[in-house]
Amino acid sequence: MSTNHSFIPFKLDPLTPQELEQQAVELNQQLQKRRSCRAFSDKPVPRSVIENLLKLAGSAPSGAHKQPWRFVAISNPALKAKIRAAAEQEEKAFYQERAPQEWLKDLEPLGTQWQKPFLETAPWLIVIFKKLYGRSSSGKEKYYYVNESVGIACGFLIRALHQCGLATLTHTPSPLNFLSDILERPQNEKPFLLLPVGFPANDAQVPNLSRKTLDETSLFFT
Ligand code: IYR
């Protein structure tokens, strides 16, 4: 390899074959318990926890290592109220006017509606923005695979929140543009996902859904 860039050794702590089997089983069992939550407790979550989880999200792989994400974490009650009001305005229009019948029918089993009280109850709202391009002293910096990169970072975050016993919802009021205004983001940042974060409410319920089987989701060529 001829390069001017610097490289460092890469090592992972190897598991024994038994540990490897066990890890995979346990991780699957843990992650099967993750559910989208729409009823949150107002119990606070320390900022330091959110900070560490956002560092973790920022460890995701990204196109040409451009790290094309911006995480905005909001616990400010007035700002949460503003976001709720704007989201509910879009959601009301979605449910009452914009959504095709087929979509509404697909949502029925989830019991969703335009009212989004959790946007105020949850102690944190994390808004993930994708950066379409960077800004450097010499002008625009090109970014690559932005949707893939930011999607993976969100996956890291959702998975880590679950491991911390925290619930979230991949919330996508559509369009999300109101978040750019409220959070005063520049042109190159576009809202990607809104994650309310907190402990589930004591009486939280989730729909009784089943997941596709391995046979339905996967193919092996060995
Ligand atoms: N954004 C709306 C509708 C909605 C759409 C899908 I696709 C969902 O999986 C769930 C809800 C809402 O958040 O209620």
Side-chain angles (χ1 to χ4, degrees), residues 74 79-87 125 178-179 182-183 194:
I74 304 133
L79 215 44
K80 286 196 292 180
K82 216 170 167 181
I83 290 172
R84 175 185 176 182
L125 302 180
F178 64 88
L179 291 166
I182 295 177
L183 301 172
L194 170 52

Side-chain angles (χ1 to χ4, degrees), residues 38 91 94-95 103 107 110 112-114 116 169 171-174:
R38 294 181 170 84
E91 295 290 42
F94 172 81
Y95 281 94
W103 195 342
L107 292 179
L110 306 181
T112 55
Q113 47 190 14
W114 68 262
K116 306 293 177 191
L169 170 71
H171 188 36
T172 53
S174 172

Side-chain angles (χ1 to χ4, degrees), residues 62-64 68 143-150:
S62 62
Y143 284 174
Y144 313 92
Y145 298 100
V146 167
N147 286 313
E148 291 84 347
S149 306
V150 178

